């Protein structure tokens, strides 16, 4: 049954038009356009439909079938229908009416390739020609020096090498809990998830053990990264990279490292990398209250987590990364990957916490048992997913501000369209400090205390120490706020 409000439905700022040929793409349903949240295939049609109208447009009866055919997602940077950006393995290919023109993302500065397709009426055709000549010259310059064995003196190349060198130096400390994922993302030009995960696959010997094709692996990681929405303040590829790095730290803990098989490590890294794929930047209550088709599809149960899992499976199948494995192994991998991602549903927090406490109280956790190893892998992923309050203050504070920004954005939409404002999403009654103090007290601390009981190591003690210090810092800021009586700057 379609939701009926006597006002215009919201159009989220993460709108990205989806070309028709993508709608038949195999895989999971996508949130690539926020218009899909409300059953409209074209955001422009949605906005035009409500112009000068006070009644809600109700989609036709066939809208469910159209969206169920739309499986998988590629994120697109441009809203221009004539320029479709497909980025794979470091290449940028621009699809226009004239066809495909490959441009290698190398040492040249960032160029908006839409300039190459400007119409003569814009008066900027000469600039487009200069850009083409610049790119052609750079490719020629680098290739000639390469064949002659002469090192390139291009200052831009030196700058690229400098950034790449710094990123590689950071990867040497991939297991450091103080790892600054924001700096790493800048050094890798926004490719932190691809670079870090590929490095960790090599570090753990997964490429050799599972006979993976490096090209397919990188293609898979690029597809995963592109399926995260860059417009989301929090649930984006940088968050996925941060969770993956935290999972790597946990996998190096003595108890897990001595017990986990390469299969367990593979599943842990895959789940961390894909656990929030295609997140729309709104939570499950929002999808349910707007009668979103995914809420109906998954019967209002772990809606986002189910979608993340299906998206991950579809990209795995499309990349054919594990096509050389037996069918039974692929099925087992997809099933266990779903079990891990579904465990990140915050509404199941008490369920997993209670199970962990029971196991620890009875001392019956045996990591030589495959079922117990999988359970601890679920716990490790849950810890990695909510580990932001356990990071040093400089990193933790940035994450706290980003997740609150995403919450408040959803609350603003709900207020604008007279929907019930979801918990923690009202900027007029909540603050960053309040949200973080409650999250640390009732969600993070209970879980990490039990994790420390399971693995009482230097890392566990460090995480609990940061957790206490960050909680005290938020309480201090909250006290300053109450004394100052000014909420605006603090929020």
């Amino acid at each position: 049954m379609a939701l009926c409000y006597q006002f215009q439905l919201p159009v989220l700022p993460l709108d990205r038009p989806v070309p028709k040929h993508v709608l038949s793409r195999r895989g999971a349903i996508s949130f690539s356009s926020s218009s899909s949240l409300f059953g409209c295939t074209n955001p422009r049609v949605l906005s035009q439909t409500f112009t000068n109208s006070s009644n809600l447009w109700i989609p036709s009866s066939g809208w469910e079938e159209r969206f169920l055919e739309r499986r998988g997602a590629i994120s697109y940077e441009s809203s221009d229908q004539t320029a479709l950006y497909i980025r794979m393995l470091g290449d940028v290919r621009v699809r226009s009416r004239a066809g495909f023109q490959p441009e290698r993302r190398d040492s040249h500065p960032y160029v908006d390739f839409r300039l190459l397709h400007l119409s003569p009426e814009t008066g900027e055709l000469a600039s487009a020609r200069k850009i083409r000549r610049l790119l052609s010259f750079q490719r020629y310059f680098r290739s000639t020096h390469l064949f002659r064995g002469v090192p390139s003196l291009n200052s831009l190349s030196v700058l690229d090498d400098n950034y790449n060198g710094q990123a590689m130096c950071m990867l040497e400390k991939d297991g450091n809990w103080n790892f600054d994922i924001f700096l790493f993302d800048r050094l890798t030009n926004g490719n932190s998830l691809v670079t870090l995960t590929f490095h960790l696959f090599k570090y753990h010997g997964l490429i050799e053990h599972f006979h993976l094709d490096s090209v397919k692996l990188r293609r898979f990681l690029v597809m995963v990264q592109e399926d995260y929405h860059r417009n989301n303040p929090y649930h984006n590829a940088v968050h996925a990279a941060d969770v993956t790095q935290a999972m790597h730290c946990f996998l190096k803990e003595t108890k897990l490292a001595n017990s986990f098989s390469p299969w367990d490590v593979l599943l842990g890294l895959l789940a961390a990398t894909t656990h929030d794929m295609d997140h729309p930047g709104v939570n499950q209550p929002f999808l349910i209250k707007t009668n979103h088709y995914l809420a109906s599809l998954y019967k209002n149960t772990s809606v986002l987590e189910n979608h993340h899992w299906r998206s991950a499976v579809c990209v795995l199948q499309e990349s054919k990364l594990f096509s050389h494995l037996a069918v039974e192994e692929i099925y087992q991998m997809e099933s266990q990957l779903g079990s891990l991602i579904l465990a990140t549903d915050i509404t199941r927090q008490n369920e997993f916490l209670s199970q962990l406490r029971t196991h620890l109280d009875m001392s019956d956790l045996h990591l030589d048992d495959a079922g117990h190893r999988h359970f601890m892998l679920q716990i490790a992923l849950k810890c990695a997913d909510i580990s932001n309050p356990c990071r040093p203050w400089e990193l933790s504070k940035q994450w706290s501000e980003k997740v609150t920004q995403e919450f408040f954005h959803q609350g603003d939409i709900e207020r604008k369209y007279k929907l019930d404002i979801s918990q923690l999403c009202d900027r007029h009654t909540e603050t960053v400090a309040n949200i973080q103090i409650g999250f640390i007290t009732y969600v993070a601390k209970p879980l990490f205390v039990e994790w420390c009981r399971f693995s009482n190591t230097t890392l566990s003690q460090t995480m609990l120490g940061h957790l206490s210090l960050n909680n005290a810092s938020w309480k201090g800021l909250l006290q300053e706020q109450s004394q100052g009586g000014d909420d605006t700057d603090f929020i």
Side-chain angles (χ1 to χ4, degrees):
M1 178 177 179
L3 182 67
C4 185
Y5 289 107
Q6 298 301 317
F7 46 79
Q8 177 181 346
L9 283 172
V11 177
L12 302 184
L14 52 84
D15 261 344
R16 286 172 289 184
V18 180
K20 293 181 179 179
H21 72 277
V22 176
L23 301 183
S24 60
R25 188 168 171 263
R26 292 176 300 202
I29 302 172
S30 167
F31 276 99
S32 291
S33 172
S34 65
S35 60
S36 66
L37 289 170
F38 311 104
C40 180
T41 57
N42 189 330
R44 293 182 176 86
V45 173
L46 180 66
S47 60
Q48 293 170 2
T49 304
F50 290 106
T51 305
N52 301 323
S53 174
S54 59
N55 295 325
L56 175 67
W57 171 76
I58 300 177
S60 64
S61 59
W63 72 276
E64 297 93 342
E65 296 177 2
R66 292 199 303 275
F67 280 104
L68 290 178
E69 292 175 358
R70 178 183 162 193
R71 306 170 191 165
I74 295 180
S75 299
Y76 301 98
E77 291 184 355
S78 173
S79 60
D80 183 3
Q81 295 277 10
T82 66
L84 170 61
Y85 293 74
I86 302 177
R87 302 190 297 170
M88 290 293 172
L89 304 179
D91 290 336
V92 177
R93 301 179 185 274
V94 183
R95 181 179 182 178
S96 69
R97 295 185 181 92
F100 281 93
Q101 299 181 7
E103 293 291 350
R104 183 74 179 173
R105 279 198 310 179
D106 207 330
S107 63
H108 57 76
Y110 173 75
V111 177
D112 186 347
F113 287 94
R114 286 172 290 182
L115 293 175
L116 306 185
H117 302 284
L118 292 174
S119 60
E121 291 76 14
T122 61
E124 302 181 20
L125 192 58
S127 299
R129 292 197 192 98
K130 292 179 181 178
I131 292 174
R132 289 195 187 95
R133 286 198 295 270
L134 170 64
L135 300 183
S136 300
F137 171 77
Q138 287 178 337
R139 286 195 297 274
Y140 171 78
F141 182 81
R142 288 180 62 84
S143 62
T144 53
H145 279 69
L146 177 64
F147 285 118
R148 295 173 186 173
V150 180
S152 173
L153 300 179
N154 193 324
S155 60
L156 293 174
S157 300
V158 173
L159 183 61
D160 279 354
D161 292 340
N162 184 32
Y163 276 97
N164 291 333
Q166 293 182 59
M168 294 305 105
C169 287
M170 289 193 68
L171 286 178
E172 294 178 0
K173 301 180 179 180
D174 50 26
N176 192 324
W177 190 247
N178 299 337
F179 192 90
D180 189 342
I181 196 64
F182 298 110
L183 173 60
F184 185 72
D185 191 64
R186 292 193 294 271
L187 293 176
T188 56
N189 193 28
N191 292 301
S192 55
L193 183 59
V194 174
T195 308
L196 176 65
T197 308
F198 191 87
H199 165 78
L200 294 181
F201 266 67
K202 293 194 296 184
Y203 176 90
H204 289 281
L206 301 177
I207 297 178
E208 294 79 9
H209 187 274
F210 291 99
H211 306 290
L212 301 180
D213 186 324
S214 296
V215 174
K216 288 183 179 179
L217 174 59
R218 187 169 291 276
R219 178 173 180 264
F220 163 74
L221 295 175
V222 169
M223 293 169 69
V224 170
Q225 180 174 273
E226 288 301 306
D227 230 13
Y228 281 91
H229 296 188
R230 296 187 177 189
N231 291 337
N232 291 346
Y234 182 81
H235 288 103
N236 50 40
V238 183
H239 165 67
D242 183 63
V243 173
T244 303
Q245 193 271 335
M247 174 62 83
H248 169 61
C249 292
F250 297 153
L251 292 174
K252 292 180 65 178
E253 291 286 77
T254 304
K255 276 193 174 182
L256 300 185
N258 293 339
S259 305
F260 277 8
S261 65
W263 180 266
D264 299 319
V265 175
L266 175 67
L267 282 174
L269 292 179
L270 283 177
T273 303
T274 62
H275 80 284
D276 272 334
M277 277 184 64
D278 210 19
H279 197 292
V282 293
N283 60 19
Q284 177 172 290
F286 183 90
L287 300 181
I288 294 175
K289 75 177 64 174
T290 55
N291 282 354
H292 188 265
Y293 68 93
L294 281 183
S296 301
L297 181 63
Y298 297 115
K299 300 179 180 179
N300 299 342
T301 304
S302 299
V303 176
L304 289 173
E305 289 73 24
N306 272 295
H307 178 63
H308 304 325
W309 168 33
R310 301 298 183 184
S311 299
V313 168
C314 102
V315 174
L316 277 173
Q317 293 177 351
E318 187 169 345
S319 66
K320 299 182 180 179
L321 179 60
F322 297 104
S323 59
H324 59 287
L325 298 182
V327 176
E328 295 77 10
E329 290 181 303
I330 296 176
Y331 176 79
Q332 182 184 11
M333 175 183 294
E334 294 175 354
S335 176
Q336 293 184 355
L337 183 63
S339 176
L340 291 173
I341 294 177
L342 289 174
T344 62
D345 186 352
I346 199 66
T347 63
R348 302 180 63 191
Q349 181 79 0
N350 290 334
E351 171 191 340
F352 283 94
L353 186 59
S354 176
Q355 290 182 20
L356 180 59
R357 281 174 177 162
T358 302
H359 282 303
L360 295 176
D361 291 341
M362 299 180 65
S363 301
D364 63 350
L365 265 177
H366 304 292
L367 295 183
D368 55 345
D369 178 84
H372 287 184
R373 290 200 307 272
H374 186 76
F375 174 73
M376 288 313 303
L377 204 54
Q378 290 176 312
I379 298 297
L381 181 59
K382 288 180 66 63
C383 288
D385 191 26
I386 63 171
S387 63
N388 299 149
C390 300
R391 298 283 190 176
W393 171 251
E394 294 77 12
L395 300 176
S396 178
K397 184 172 182 290
Q398 290 186 67
W399 284 120
S400 301
E401 291 169 346
K402 289 178 180 296
V403 72
T404 306
Q405 180 184 352
E406 194 167 293
F407 287 163
F408 287 171
H409 178 255
Q410 176 181 322
D412 293 342
I413 294 174
E414 292 170 331
R415 178 180 294 105
K416 180 177 180 180
Y417 297 101
K418 296 180 174 57
L419 301 170
D420 293 334
I421 299 179
S422 301
Q423 188 179 9
L424 306 180
C425 295
D426 192 343
R427 70 170 66 246
H428 299 316
T429 59
E430 300 285 353
T431 64
V432 182
N434 271 330
I435 293 174
Q436 288 305 308
I437 292 172
F439 183 78
I440 291 173
T441 303
Y442 300 108
V443 179
K445 186 175 181 179
L447 180 60
F448 282 98
V449 166
E450 299 304 320
W451 176 265
C452 188
R453 285 180 62 195
F454 164 74
S455 177
N456 190 7
T457 62
T458 302
L459 174 60
S460 299
Q461 294 296 335
T462 299
M463 291 190 297
L464 287 180
H466 285 314
L467 196 67
S468 299
L469 290 174
N470 292 337
N471 196 36
S473 298
W474 287 119
K475 288 182 178 178
L477 288 174
L478 187 62
Q479 185 177 3
E480 292 178 8
Q481 176 198 7
S482 61
Q483 292 175 352
D486 184 6
D487 299 356
T488 305
D489 291 340
F490 185 75
I491 295 177

